């Protein structure tokens, strides 16, 4: 057994039962013997010779009837021993190697070979403070998984009988529903590791405010205070737009070799699927390529990394044309300061943004584009920014929250469709914009 395999088993000892550890050690010992023999074919042949059943292959066309019959019987007897031996060798190999990851997913066994990889990968990983993952075993160690568990989480099937996600729908404020893909515990833990150890450490543009530490809808709105003109746009199908290939490219750009980047991308993506039944069996049929699921803890940070060039291009053009620019997830906001000498062309803005967004593989939703001029309410990520005062929730929401707090404090209770957890969330939301008012309302609730 190689030292590398011994270390892997030792690291996993707390996760494995005694029987599982013994089974993995046995497979590791077997594969070590296979490697010493010079490969699977030579190992199997040596074992067959040792057991006295190996048959040298001969030309049956030159044999008589009786000789041929005896030869065929010897070969058949050998096959009875050969097949179980080959199965054991294959089981040992798959326990210690990634072999195949599903339809249309390229996998190269030797992850150290990468003909298309740029130079200085190790330096790029070190510069970003990213974990140096060189082999699948390194990723297993980081995630606390066996190789078979990693392969199980990454494997792609066009028609799957089970998923690593549970799906549900939540209503959108603007109508319709949003499908959420919530990963099951084992995959969620892996995605959270990718988020903390890699995705959150990738370069993000200063215009991005969503899912960035220290930033929020409040910091996003703060950039657009006291504007004479505000234009907001939405990107269509934001998370599904970042397919497996694009996500893999994020990890490649970060500095990981092709094989590791593929594993990381498979952990963080899933295909949109439709549930159907056939002959009593439920199937989850892939409707398109794997993409970032909305509900994965790693998805938001990965979209920020994927939008780096988009943000650079939009921010660069906006600065030259007299606009301010920010992005919160799929919400793009442009504004012109009230102090600007003249008002830039809105039609030019819309044309340039549509072109840049399309070149980056995304689409602007025309039905969600809003132009807010003087005299209208300027609302950015839900907060009002009409003047130089700090961003604030709309007056209607503030009044509603105060009324809810008053009803609870006076013993009247909440109305139908309202809940205490919803009220606490509203108060926390107000506190983000106005800490004094938020603390006052929270104190009233605590005293109720």
């Amino acid at each position: 057994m190689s030292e590398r395999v011994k270390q892997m088993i030792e690291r996993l000892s707390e996760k494995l039962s005694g029987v599982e550890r013994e089974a993995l050690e046995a497979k590791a010992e077997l594969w070590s013997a296979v490697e010493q023999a010079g490969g699977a074919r030579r190992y199997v042949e040596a074992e067959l010779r040792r057991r006295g059943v190996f048959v040298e292959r001969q030309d049956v066309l030159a044999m008589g009837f009786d000789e041929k019959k005896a030869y065929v019987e010897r070969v058949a007897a050998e096959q009875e021993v050969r097949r179980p031996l080959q199965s054991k060798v294959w089981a040992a190999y798959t326990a210690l190697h990634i072999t195949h990851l599903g339809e249309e997913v390229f996998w190269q066994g030797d992850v150290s070979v990468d003909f298309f990889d740029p130079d200085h990968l190790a330096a790029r990983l070190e510069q970003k403070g990213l974990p140096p993952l060189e082999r699948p075993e390194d990723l297993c160690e980081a995630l606390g998984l066996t190789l078979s568990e990693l392969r199980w989480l990454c494997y792609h099937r066009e028609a799957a009988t089970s998923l690593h996600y549970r799906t549900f729908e939540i209503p959108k404020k603007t109508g319709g529903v949003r499908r959420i893909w919530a990963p099951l515990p084992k995959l969620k833990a892996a995605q959270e590791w990718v988020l903390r150890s890699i995705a959150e450490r990738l370069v993000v543009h200063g215009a991005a405010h969503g899912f960035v530490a220290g930033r929020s809808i409040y910091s996003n709105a703060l950039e657009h205070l006291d504007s004479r003109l505000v234009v907001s746009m939405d990107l269509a199908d934001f998370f599904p737009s970042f397919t497996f290939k694009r996500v893999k490219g994020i990890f490649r750009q970060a500095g990981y070799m092709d094989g590791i980047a593929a594993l990381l991308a498979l952990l963080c993506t899933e295909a949109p699927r439709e549930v159907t039944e056939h002959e009593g069996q439920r199937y989850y049929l892939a409707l398109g390529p794997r993409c970032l699921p909305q509900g994965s803890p790693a998805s938001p940070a990965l979209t920020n990394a994927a939008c780096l060039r988009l943000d650079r291009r939009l921010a660069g053009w906006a600065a030259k044309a007299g606009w301010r620019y920010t992005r919160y997830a799929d919400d793009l906001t442009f504004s012109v300061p009230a102090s600007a000498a003249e008002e830039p062309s809105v039609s030019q803005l819309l044309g340039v943004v549509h072109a840049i967004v399309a070149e980056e593989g995304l689409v602007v939703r025309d039905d969600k584009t809003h132009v807010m001029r003087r005299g209208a309410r300027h609302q950015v990520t839900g907060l009002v920014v009409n003047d130089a005062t700090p961003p604030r929730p709309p007056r209607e929401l503030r009044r509603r929250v105060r009324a809810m707090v008053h009803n609870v404090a006076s013993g009247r209770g909440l109305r139908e469709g309202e809940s205490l957890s919803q009220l606490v969330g509203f108060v926390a939301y107000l506190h983000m914009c106005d800490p004094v008012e938020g603390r006052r309302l929270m104190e009233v609730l605590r005293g109720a």
Side-chain angles (χ1 to χ4, degrees), residues 1 5 9 19-33 43 88 91-92 95-96:
M1 186 190 309
V5 173
I9 295 174
V19 174
E20 290 172 330
R21 177 173 179 138
E22 288 178 7
L24 186 57
E25 287 176 343
K27 290 176 180 177
E29 291 286 359
L30 174 57
W31 186 250
S32 178
Y43 172 82
K88 285 183 66 176
L96 302 169

Side-chain angles (χ1 to χ4, degrees), residues 209-222 328 381 383 432:
H209 287 261
F211 321 113
V212 178
R215 297 186 178 184
S216 63
I217 60 171
Y218 184 83
S219 67
N220 184 64
L222 200 60
Y328 189 94
T381 46
L383 299 175
M432 174 184 64

